[in-house]
């Protein structure tokens, strides 16, 4: 990224502001996860439900590529599909999440058949895919920028699992570990593309709204999980 | 592909029958191309218009992947996007077609800005992308099966260019040469997937109709080109 224009600098600040206000690291469920307060059932429920989000990411990224007439942007985005789907065997993020499930005691087939999937999680994730499918592709890219804030959360989560949830064997943490570095790489690329292609006042505003929407999606996922698996009301 | 069931065998025969009846190798414009009867202007018009089809293929393939919930099918289809877009620089089928354009005397920028694109070609290609975007993904795969008939046409075309259109330097034929082998590989894979996943009477019928529709798309492209660049009526 070359030096930013004033408009780009302002957009960057607005995006960071949205993330610091609305990213789901502040959700009560995540706070309790990171301080070791979740039951095994709650961890399993989170793993099973978040899996649906993982399965839809390559579908969302293919929709974005399908909306984009610029070969250089398609080229820059395509590795994300491979990153999640892998090329063969047990490669890729989806397979890594299946291993996390097994490590937490949720059998592979229970993840794959969606038996634990909550309606609120499904609708939030489906809304995200629909958003990227139907919005202009630069706005779709901006909606991925929750990745900007992911590495810190992922690092805290990994530490929380290693400290508090020692009943989960560490061979299950492959997904967390790969995202620690990959999310930074992804968000750098997505941020460059957002700043480059959200080049009108309308697109810049839409980019900020897209990130806000996406924070809402992640928050809604945790709301549904928290309601089902969270602590009973006093 | 393991041994075919009766239904699969019948589907295969129907698909081949559609191709032998409707593939655009029989179109008058292609017949004249292959017997060396086209003017330079007609060759250039064909190259410029067919380029739009090339540019939409990765968009179509990403739409198909975005419709497909099966990771193994997405994995099997993804290389097609790279095949057309390339990973960097002048790699990929689109770049190869740009070189064909330059070899034929159509500058790169005239291909990229669509100035020669005929409305009938645009609408036929857009209809194809829309079809794949909106139909079930196994039917979208079946619509790609015109590739089954492409290698023979490509071999005849390459020979025709080398024999009749010697004003086109042979460094422009990279696209034709790569498709000679790639189209066979692509169609083998697409045929296996069609026979495997078009597994109900309704999907098998839709697959046959999809191939028929796609033959119509390719035919309509040549109709529009022929009307503009073909021989004057007697």
């Amino acid at each position: 990224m070359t030096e930013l224009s004033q408009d780009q600098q302002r957009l960057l600040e607005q995006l960071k502001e949205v993330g610091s206000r609305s990213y789901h690291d502040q959700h009560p469920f995540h706070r309790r996860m990171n301080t070791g307060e979740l039951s095994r059932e709650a961890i399993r429920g989170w793993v099973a439900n978040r899996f649906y989000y993982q399965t839809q990411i390559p579908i969302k990224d293919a929709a974005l590529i399908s909306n984009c007439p610029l070969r250089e942007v398609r080229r820059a985005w395509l590795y994300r599909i491979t990153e999640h789907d892998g090329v063969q065997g047990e490669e890729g993020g989806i397979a890594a999440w299946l291993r996390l499930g097994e490590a937490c005691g949720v059998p592979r087939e229970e993840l794959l058949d969606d038996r634990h999937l909550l309606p609120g999680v499904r609708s939030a994730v489906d809304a995200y895919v629909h958003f990227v499918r139907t919005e202009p592709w630069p706005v779709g890219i901006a909606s991925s920028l929750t990745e900007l804030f992911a590495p810190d959360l992922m690092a805290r989560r990994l530490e929380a699992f290693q400290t508090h949830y020692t009943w989960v064997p560490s061979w299950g943490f492959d997904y967390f570990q790969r995202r620690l570095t990959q999310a930074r790489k992804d968000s750098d690329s997505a941020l460059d593309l957002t700043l480059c292609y959200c080049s009108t006042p309308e697109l810049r505003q839409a980019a900020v709204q897209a990130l806000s929407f996406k924070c809402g999606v992640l928050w809604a996922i945790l709301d549904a999980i928290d309601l089902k698996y969270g602590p009973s009301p006093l």
Side-chain angles (χ1 to χ4, degrees), chain A residues 39 75 99 109 178 218 224 226 230:
Chain A
S39 67
R75 284 175 170 181
R99 287 194 294 280
E109 58 273 21
R178 52 187 290 145
L218 297 178
D226 200 15

Side-chain angles (χ1 to χ4, degrees), chain A residues 164-178:
Chain A
H164 304 297
Y165 307 105
T166 51
W167 54 274
V168 184
S170 60
W171 55 259
F173 301 154
D174 180 26
Y175 184 88
F176 300 155
Q177 272 146 351
R178 52 187 290 145

Side-chain angles (χ1 to χ4, degrees), chain A residues 123-176:
Chain A
S123 61
V125 172
D126 289 354
Y128 178 39
V129 176
H130 179 76
F131 181 90
V132 174
R133 213 183 272 292
T134 53
E135 290 292 317
W137 61 266
V139 178
I141 286 177
S143 73
S144 77
L145 287 174
T146 42
E147 289 162 349
L148 281 171
F149 315 99
D152 291 348
L153 176 59
M154 205 60 84
R156 285 207 300 284
R157 181 182 295 162
L158 185 56
E159 201 191 331
F161 268 81
Q162 287 165 335
T163 309
H164 304 297
Y165 307 105
T166 51
W167 54 274
V168 184
S170 60
W171 55 259
F173 301 154
D174 180 26
Y175 184 88
F176 300 155

Side-chain angles (χ1 to χ4, degrees), chain A residues 48 106-107 109-118 122 229:
Chain A
V106 191
E109 58 273 21
E110 293 190 18
L111 290 181
L112 291 170
D113 70 9
D114 291 341
R115 79 180 68 176
H116 303 291
L117 178 58
L118 298 165
R122 184 194 289 274
Y229 298 102

Side-chain angles (χ1 to χ4, degrees), chain A residues 43-123:
Chain A
I43 291 285
R44 287 178 186 137
W46 171 76
V47 166
N49 275 277
R50 176 81 188 188
F51 179 68
Y52 184 65
Y53 178 82
Q54 307 302 333
T55 65
Q56 297 304 298
I57 293 300
I59 287 171
K60 179 272 292 184
D61 285 322
L64 194 148
I65 289 170
S66 181
N67 285 339
C68 179
L70 302 184
R71 184 173 45 154
E72 61 273 24
V73 176
R74 294 197 302 265
R75 284 175 170 181
W77 209 257
L78 193 73
Y79 79 91
R80 290 169 179 258
I81 296 179
T82 307
E83 186 63 26
H84 267 77
D85 276 345
V87 173
Q88 57 186 347
E90 295 307 302
E91 293 173 5
I94 291 175
W97 198 276
L98 287 168
R99 287 194 294 280
L100 172 64
E102 290 186 77
C104 294
V106 191
R108 185 182 175 89
E109 58 273 21
E110 293 190 18
L111 290 181
L112 291 170
D113 70 9
D114 291 341
R115 79 180 68 176
H116 303 291
L117 178 58
L118 298 165
V121 173
R122 184 194 289 274
S123 61

Side-chain angles (χ1 to χ4, degrees), chain A residues 17-30:
Chain A
E17 201 269 320
V18 168
S20 67
R21 191 179 59 225
S22 312
Y23 189 56
H24 65 170
D25 60 337
Q26 300 304 322
H27 194 285
F29 190 87
H30 264 157

Side-chain angles (χ1 to χ4, degrees), chain A residues 1-15 191-199 204:
Chain A
M1 176 59 52
T2 51
E3 206 176 332
L4 298 182
S5 71
Q6 262 192 324
D7 286 336
Q8 288 174 319
Q9 191 60 49
R10 175 89 189 100
L11 174 56
L12 179 57
E13 284 160 19
Q14 288 179 302
L15 292 169
L191 184 59
D192 285 355
L193 291 168
T194 300
L195 294 175
C196 178
Y197 291 104
C198 291
S199 52
R204 283 192 290 273

